[in-house]
Amino acid sequence: MAKRKNFAKAKTKAAKTKAAKAKPAAKKSAAKVVKLRAKKPAPKATAKAAAGGGLPKPTNRPFGQAGRALDGVKILDFTHVQSGPTCTQLLAYMGADVIKVERPGAGDITRGQLRDVPNADSLYFTMLNGSKRSITIDSKHPAGMDILNRLIKTCDVLVENFAPGALDRMGLTWEHIHKTNPRMIVASVKGFGPGPYEDCKVYENVAQCAGGAASTTGFREGPPLVTGAQIGDSGTGLHLALGIVAALYQRIRTGRGQRVLCAMQDGVLNLTRVKLRDQQRLAHGPLTEFSQFGEGIPFGAAVPRAGNDSGGGQPGWIVKCKGWENDPDAYLYFITQAPVWNEICDVIGEPSWKTDPDYATPKARLPRLKQIFARIEQFTMTMTKFEAMDLFNKHDIPCGPILSMKEIAEEQSLRTTGTVVEVDHPTRGKYLTVGNPIKLSDSPADVRRSPLLGEHTDEILRDVLGYSKQEIAAIRTSGAITAPEKPAKAQAA
Ligand code: CAO
C-alpha cells in the first residue's frame, strides 16, 4: 500500500515537471481548453448515450424474434476440408450470410471423400457446410478474379485455410485485400504460426501431435494416441470464429479490418493446457494424482500418458458396467470427488472407508486409487451404465456413461435442444448434423442443409454483386464459373 502511494506521488511529480517544462504559450492554451471544458455543460444526448453505452434502446421484440446475432455480416468463405468450414458453419448458424467459393467442377475436396451415397455429397461435406451458399469461381481466371474482387468489396470477412502462400499466389495478398476493402477482416487457419514449420501443410492428427495432445493421450505402456474429437480442425475453427467475432466488434470502433490467424498447433495447445501445467508441476515432484504414482512407477522428464486418469484435482477412472463383455461401450466414468466421499463409501458398500485413515482423506487415497476403482468397478458391474448413472447422481456423485455414437444419434434430448438436427438434402435425403452447440437466447440457430456445388452462383452474382443477366451469361461463357471442358478424347472414352 505504502509503495502504491509513493508511486502515485512520483507520477504527480513527473507530470508537474513535464508541465513546467512546456512552452508558456502552450501552457496558456491548455489552460484555456481546460477552462472551456469545465464551463461547457454536458449535452443531454451525450449523457443519454453514456447511460446506454452508445447502444440503441432495447428492442421490444420478443426474445428470438429480433433477428440473428450475425445478421447482416457477409462472409467470403474460401475454406475447405474441416477446420475452416467448421468456423464458417458456426457463423452461418448465427445468422451470417456465408458465401462459399469453390473451384468449378470440383468444389471442396470433401464433397467426394468418404462417400456413403453414390453421386451425393458426402456427410463429411454436408455436416460441415450447412446453412451456407455455394458459388463456383475459378480464382485463376481473370474474370473469376474480377468477381472475387467484387466479393471482397462487398463482404465483411474473408475466411480461408489454404496451405501457406496459396492465397498470395492467387493474388489475394493482405495488402491487396486491405486496399480493396479496408473494412475487411481476413481470417486464416494455418498448421503452424510463424517459425520453423510455418510453410508446412497440416491435417488434424499432425496438429494433435504438434500441440501436445498425442504425447499425453493413451496409456503409459502404449504409443501416443490421437483422439476422436477433432481438436485440431474443429477446435481451431472454433478459435477462429471467436477471433472473427472479436475483430468485427473492434471494427465498430476502428472502422478497419484486421488479420486473424489461428495456428492449429496453438489451438491444440490451448485445449491441452492442463498438460503444460503438469509439465511445470513435474519440476516440483511426482504428479501424485496420476495412477502411475500409486503404482510406484517413477516419472520421467516429460508429462506421461495417463490412461483414463481425470487430469484434474478429483481422481477419476473408467469402470466396467453390466454387459461389458459384449458391449464395447458398457462403461462409466467415475469421479471420486472428495466432498462426496462418504456417500461413495455408503453406496458401494464400504462404509468403513469413511473413517479408515488409509481411505478417509484424498491424500491417503492417492496411492490406493487402483484398488479403490477396482472396488467401485466390482459394484458398477452389477448394473447397466444408465442404472449406475441414475443411482450415483441421486447421491450427487459425479459420473457419466460412455455413450456410443449410436446412442448419441438416438438421444432425444439432443434433438430437442437442437444440438443434433435432422435436415433434408435434395440428393442424399435426410441426414443428421450437429447444430449450434452455443445457445443464444435471442438468436435461434439457423441450421439448414449444405448447398450443392455452385447452387447459388447466379443468385449471388445477381443479388449480392448486382451483375445483369447479360453479364452473367458472358461470365458463364468465359469459363470463370464453369468446369473446364473435358478434352474430346477423354469425353469419347
Ligand atoms: N479456383 C482455382 N484454384 C483454387 C480455387 C478456386 N476456386 N480454390 C483453391 N484453389 C487452388 C489454390 O489456388 C491452390 O493452388 P496452388 O497451390 O497452385 O497455389 C490450391 O487450390 C489449394 O491448395 P491447398 O494447398 O490449400 O490444398 P491441398 O489439398 O494441397 O492441401 C491442406 C490441403 C488442408 C493440407 C492445406 O490446405 C493446409 O495445410 N491448410 C492449412 C491448414 C488446415 O486448415 N488444415 C486442416 C485441414 S482439415 O483436416
Side-chain angles (χ1 to χ4, degrees), residues 380-441:
T380 55
M381 278 162 68
T382 63
M383 62 195 83
T384 70
K385 60 187 176 187
F386 296 111
E387 288 164 351
M389 174 80 177
D390 284 350
L391 175 65
F392 290 124
N393 271 290
K394 272 192 196 117
H395 299 271
D396 259 351
I397 299 166
C399 60
I402 308 305
L403 294 183
S404 69
M405 269 302 151
K406 184 172 183 294
E407 286 162 334
I408 287 172
E410 291 163 359
E411 173 62 49
Q412 195 47 51
S413 66
L414 294 174
R415 303 285 184 101
T416 310
T417 57
T419 298
V420 175
V421 183
E422 187 177 83
V423 288
D424 207 356
H425 188 274
T427 55
R428 67 169 301 116
K430 289 194 165 72
Y431 67 94
L432 289 184
T433 193
V434 181
N436 194 350
I438 304 162
K439 316 293 184 200
L440 294 170
S441 68

Side-chain angles (χ1 to χ4, degrees), residues 78 80-85 101-104 109 124 135-141 148 160-167 169-170 189-192 200-205 230 232-233 264:
F78 238 140
H80 65 158
V81 203
Q82 185 184 163
S83 63
V101 176
E102 294 180 85
R103 202 201 299 250
I109 194 169
Y124 194 175
I135 179 171
T136 48
I137 305 173
D138 180 354
S139 65
K140 292 181 177 139
H141 191 291
L148 278 171
E160 62 94 21
N161 68 309
F162 290 128
L167 201 65
R169 288 196 292 279
M170 282 183 194
V189 170
K190 294 290 166 257
F192 294 93
C200 301
K201 285 184 178 178
V202 169
Y203 281 105
E204 170 68 45
N205 290 343
Q230 306 283 282
D233 279 338
M264 294 167 74

Side-chain angles (χ1 to χ4, degrees), residues 17 26 33 97 118 128 138 172 205 215 247 254 390 430 436 441 467:
T17 323
V33 172
D97 180 8
L128 285 163
D138 180 354
L172 299 179
N205 290 343
S215 69
T254 63
D390 284 350
K430 289 194 165 72
N436 194 350
S441 68
Y467 284 101

Side-chain angles (χ1 to χ4, degrees), residues 251-485:
R251 195 180 69 162
I252 297 171
R253 269 199 337 270
T254 63
R256 69 174 181 210
Q258 60 182 297
R259 278 183 283 182
V260 181
L261 171 68
C262 285
M264 294 167 74
Q265 181 185 37
D266 300 4
V268 171
L269 176 59
N270 188 34
L271 300 175
T272 318
R273 69 172 54 222
V274 295
K275 300 297 179 180
L276 184 56
R277 173 201 67 194
D278 294 342
Q279 181 62 43
Q280 296 171 86
R281 290 174 57 224
L282 205 46
H284 302 280
L287 306 172
T288 51
E289 79 284 11
F290 278 47
S291 33
Q292 171 172 350
F293 171 73
E295 288 165 39
I297 298 166
F299 285 78
V303 176
R305 292 182 270 288
N308 289 317
D309 284 338
S310 86
Q314 308 287 352
W317 195 254
I318 288 183
V319 289
K320 290 171 182 159
C321 291
K322 198 181 199 171
W324 66 273
E325 298 90 340
N326 302 313
D327 176 356
D329 298 309
Y331 289 84
L332 181 85
Y333 199 92
F334 190 95
I335 299 172
T336 54
Q337 194 205 13
V340 288
W341 177 246
N342 287 352
E343 286 79 353
I344 294 171
C345 297
D346 285 337
V347 176
I348 65 168
E350 294 291 346
S352 66
W353 283 3
K354 291 190 280 188
T355 47
D356 185 333
D358 280 351
Y359 297 91
T361 65
K363 197 168 174 213
R365 290 194 288 273
L366 284 175
R368 297 175 179 80
L369 287 176
K370 205 172 174 181
Q371 179 213 335
I372 291 170
F373 283 116
R375 174 66 187 94
I376 293 167
E377 186 171 73
Q378 212 182 17
F379 180 72
T380 55
M381 278 162 68
T382 63
M383 62 195 83
T384 70
K385 60 187 176 187
F386 296 111
E387 288 164 351
M389 174 80 177
D390 284 350
L391 175 65
F392 290 124
N393 271 290
K394 272 192 196 117
H395 299 271
D396 259 351
I397 299 166
C399 60
I402 308 305
L403 294 183
S404 69
M405 269 302 151
K406 184 172 183 294
E407 286 162 334
I408 287 172
E410 291 163 359
E411 173 62 49
Q412 195 47 51
S413 66
L414 294 174
R415 303 285 184 101
T416 310
T417 57
T419 298
V420 175
V421 183
E422 187 177 83
V423 288
D424 207 356
H425 188 274
T427 55
R428 67 169 301 116
K430 289 194 165 72
Y431 67 94
L432 289 184
T433 193
V434 181
N436 194 350
I438 304 162
K439 316 293 184 200
L440 294 170
S441 68
D442 207 8
S443 178
D446 175 25
V447 181
R448 285 173 281 129
R449 71 165 172 88
S450 63
L452 299 172
L453 178 61
E455 183 176 343
H456 306 97
T457 302
D458 283 14
E459 179 184 300
I460 292 163
L461 291 175
R462 188 187 61 231
D463 301 345
V464 179
L465 301 178
Y467 284 101
S468 68
K469 232 178 175 177
Q470 291 82 348
E471 284 172 320
I472 295 174
I475 293 170
R476 195 162 286 285
T477 45
S478 77
I481 56 171
T482 47
E485 282 195 10

